[in-house]
Amino acid sequence: MGRPPCCDKLNVKRGLWTAEEDAKIVAYVSNHGIGNWTLVPKKAGLNRCGKSCRLRWTNYLRPDLKHDSFTTQEEEHIINLHKAIGSRWSLIAKELPGRTDNDVKNYWNTKLRKKLVKMGIDPVTHKPFPQVFSDYGSISGISNTRKSLNSKTEPSPTHTGFFPNANVNRKPLILQIHENSFPDNVPTWKHQTHLQVINQETILPHFFTEATSSCSSSSSSNVTQLRSSPQSYSCQPSQTQITPCSPFNWNEFLLSEPFISSEFHQQEERDSQGVLIQNEIQMTNKSKGNECNMNGVTHKDSGAFNYGTSFGGLINKKSEGSSSSGKSFVDTLLDRDSEIRAAFPELLDDIFYY
DNA sequence: AACTGAGCCAACCGCCGAGAC
DNA sequence: AGTCTCGGCGGTTGGCTCAGT
């Protein structure tokens, strides 16, 4: 039953590729094209796993790849896209010709994330840190930071920490940030005593998983949550129904136009009147077609889940008048981001210019 | 010159959905 | 219907390079 295994994992070579191996893959692909990667090692005379061959090709050997450093324009594009869709590296990479998801991911993790932190911007929410703390304080019921100054709760050992190795260095987050040359042009941060005692967990949960999963990297896990938790979804399910880590309401991106019920529109109206967005929408994404349960009403999509169509259709729900046909999915997302910011200034706060 | 730590990036790991059997 | 692999994805790690001491 089932397919045979693609390779004997114990007897295949691992590690860095040699020029000779690269040449074999290139020769094979140029002769046979890309097909079943499990057959490639055998046919190309390589003692590698097919999966490894595929990765080598897609991340390094593909002729359309750029191998030079990222340009300023590409940087800005990545930041904007990450702001809009989070760490969906494959989607971001599709918007950057010649770049792979691995390239983009590495560049983000090694350069851009640090750059944003140095600028005083939370790389998850893309908001200035003081604003993030302020948001979280109001969301979680922490009416002022002084309250948490007295907190002596021990940090949870399960959190990975905002900075690398923070799980080893268990200093409060604020101290870490401060000690990591926080810029002087962020006034709030000058008041170290006002901040230094704040416990990691007390501040903002998503910080502690940011290194491994930003908000939308948890988008996949959000979907999982949606399946298991009909009441709400957020980056941190146990915290609040409002996700502080993204300006987007992902509900909307999981719905396409045919799903939009009158109840949903009513909900939107309430939202636009300043009522906090409640996660009344329960989503399930079944193996064939999308099913979504909104306020108890189940709707079903006709086709497989598809960003380009489902998202696009949904986005256009609010983008009436804007051309949808010629725009890419991500462009549309960015437009949508701007629209949301314009529509909900009190919820989404000021746009931050990099 | 030798050592050390940080930065970088290619490659691997593990999960998931789709589809083959 | 159930089991299994493939292919795709995001997260993590190993090891190389280089700057600083």
Side-chain angles (χ1 to χ4, degrees), chain A residues 125-141:
Chain A
T125 62
H126 292 258
K127 293 177 182 177
F129 281 117
Q131 186 180 329
V132 173
F133 292 126
S134 160
D135 287 353
Y136 182 70
S138 58
I139 290 167
S140 64

Side-chain angles (χ1 to χ4, degrees), chain A residues 125-254:
Chain A
T125 62
H126 292 258
K127 293 177 182 177
F129 281 117
Q131 186 180 329
V132 173
F133 292 126
S134 160
D135 287 353
Y136 182 70
S138 58
I139 290 167
S140 64
I142 303 170
S143 56
N144 68 55
T145 21
R146 289 194 176 278
K147 185 175 177 183
S148 40
L149 290 178
N150 296 326
S151 166
K152 296 192 177 174
T153 316
E154 286 300 315
S156 162
T158 58
H159 289 144
T160 57
F162 178 71
F163 290 99
N165 303 322
N167 53 339
V168 177
N169 175 11
R170 301 302 303 171
K171 288 180 184 176
L173 171 67
I174 297 299
L175 275 182
Q176 294 179 29
I177 295 172
H178 192 85
E179 287 171 5
N180 279 275
S181 64
F182 214 82
D184 289 333
N185 59 353
V186 183
T188 310
W189 296 90
K190 290 182 177 175
H191 306 293
Q192 185 182 352
T193 55
H194 190 67
L195 299 160
Q196 63 186 7
V197 197
I198 300 175
N199 181 281
Q200 288 185 353
E201 275 190 305
T202 315
I203 298 171
L204 191 58
H206 78 255
F207 274 166
F208 314 117
T209 54
E210 191 276 341
T212 55
S213 66
S214 71
C215 173
S216 60
S217 75
S218 56
S219 60
S220 57
S221 54
N222 278 346
V223 172
T224 307
Q225 284 172 22
L226 288 167
R227 295 192 191 109
S228 58
S229 171
Q231 294 302 317
S232 65
Y233 78 97
S234 71
C235 293
Q236 295 293 325
S238 63
Q239 292 292 325
T240 170
Q241 290 185 316
I242 297 167
T243 167
C245 55
S246 167
F248 271 104
N249 179 357
W250 278 97
N251 284 345
E252 301 187 17
F253 289 93
L254 297 172

